[in-house]
Amino acid sequence: MRISPGGMAGLPLIAAAAFFMQALDATILNTALPAIAESLGESPLAMQMTVVGYTLTVALLIPASGWFADRFGTRNVFLFAVALFVLGSLSCALSGSLRMLVLSRVIQGIGGAMMMPVARLAVLRAFPREKLVAVLNFISIPGLVGPVVGPLLGGALVTYAGWHWIFLINIPVGLAGMLYAWRIMPQFTGPHGPFDFTGFAFFGLGLALFSGGLELFGGRAESKGLAPFLLLAGVALLTLYARHARRNQAPLIRLGVFRIHTFRVGIAGNVVSRLGTGCMPYLMPLMLQVGLGHPALTAGMMMAPMALGSLTAKTFAVRVLRRFGYRNTLVGVTACIGLMIAQFSLQTPSLPLWMLILPMILLGMAMSTQFTAMNSITLGDLAQEHVSTGNSLLAVTQQLSISFGVASSTAVLRLFNALAPGSLLDHFHETFLTVGGVTLLASLVFLFLRRGDGDALLPGRGERRASSGKQRSSR
């Protein structure tokens, strides 16, 4: 399918905006929950259902997004998804009861589950392999900025405008995005069989149960004792899906995609390394408030340097990859992230707050480079028949990363608080050291990449490697 120059330029912008809306919505609500609870006459603890309902809906439906895009076209499905997200946002703002708010969040989740995966699928099919790294680099930035800006923006809107505006702000952005997408987004379709209802039940429900278990395990709801059972049930259903997919000629998620070496390593690296990066928007503001006594607004503002670093890294991430290659870049930058997270254990009340700014900027730069490299190496070698499946699985990994990070860091903090002597600030320090150490070990996953992996995504790098090899052999 031929795409106009305007479409080629605007498509990454649409995908970036979708990613930002989804990432922002996943975090902006947290700071508004007490105000919403007071307005609706509910307990703040009961309000966590608004978070869990959205997360479970997204986890349930992301696996089906690729099939719908292949069947009905990327533009049609994307417009439908944004329309649902806008409708759900309006319904949330008008909600007068907790039940209506949870139902509205589910409608939002249906749209959110398809917005980003479908937009990125269109990008994967529109751009040649040698341009994917730069495009995915641009798209990945909002995913880093959204979770950082979310708590700050949510706090400001609740304080100065009212909690309804955290939902109303989505409406003009969504409507503008729909108009822009209708004009320039290509209508890609792909090969598809009949919808795999059995596979959808196994995979989608298994993923939703696993995600729900993480939410409860991370301390976001009262019934934490239910978390292990949900996690085990989710794993059991995902195991049943794997058995079903091997016997089905057209499964919802094609497990054959894991035969691709770079995809396999990329997904494994995403899962393990995001245990550290996913906890930062949660753990750092919590330590600043509870451990060091800073007000909520100050704690939220201290996450802004990380967003600044992420934006700055956009200008040189591709050049770093061309210079060092995927293997060296991912091993090195992931190790740096682990060390940067661990050094936050040195923060004490006597240290001025401004000394956090430079480390947060550097961490944002490292995370942005890592995400660019991980996303492009994961998707770059996929053949057309595996693009939908690979894109959906990466979207699942990204969606669950916040839950992974929050659940793991909360569990570690709770463990130190229960078993280790010392103050609460000491336990925060121990948690940062532990999470940083795990992230440092996660860098070893990328050693499984071969030295030439990803060179086809970086124009000119393969030729430079061959040229330098000839020069060394001649000497």
Side-chain angles (χ1 to χ4, degrees), residues 424-439:
L424 182 59
L425 182 57
D426 291 332
H427 301 325
F428 272 108
H429 291 166
E430 292 157 353
T431 301
F432 273 111
L433 282 172
T434 303
V435 173
V438 170
T439 307

Side-chain angles (χ1 to χ4, degrees), residues 461-475:
R461 176 169 168 77
E463 291 81 352
R464 287 198 301 271
R465 288 181 71 247
S467 174
S468 62
K470 290 180 181 178
Q471 292 175 4
R472 284 195 299 269
S473 63
S474 66
R475 288 196 295 265

Side-chain angles (χ1 to χ4, degrees), residues 84-107:
L84 276 181
F85 192 83
V86 169
L87 178 64
S89 298
L90 177 61
S91 182
C92 285
L94 298 177
S95 294
S97 67
L98 177 60
R99 180 176 299 179
M100 182 177 177
L101 181 60
V102 172
L103 179 61
S104 302
R105 288 285 287 170
V106 169
I107 296 173

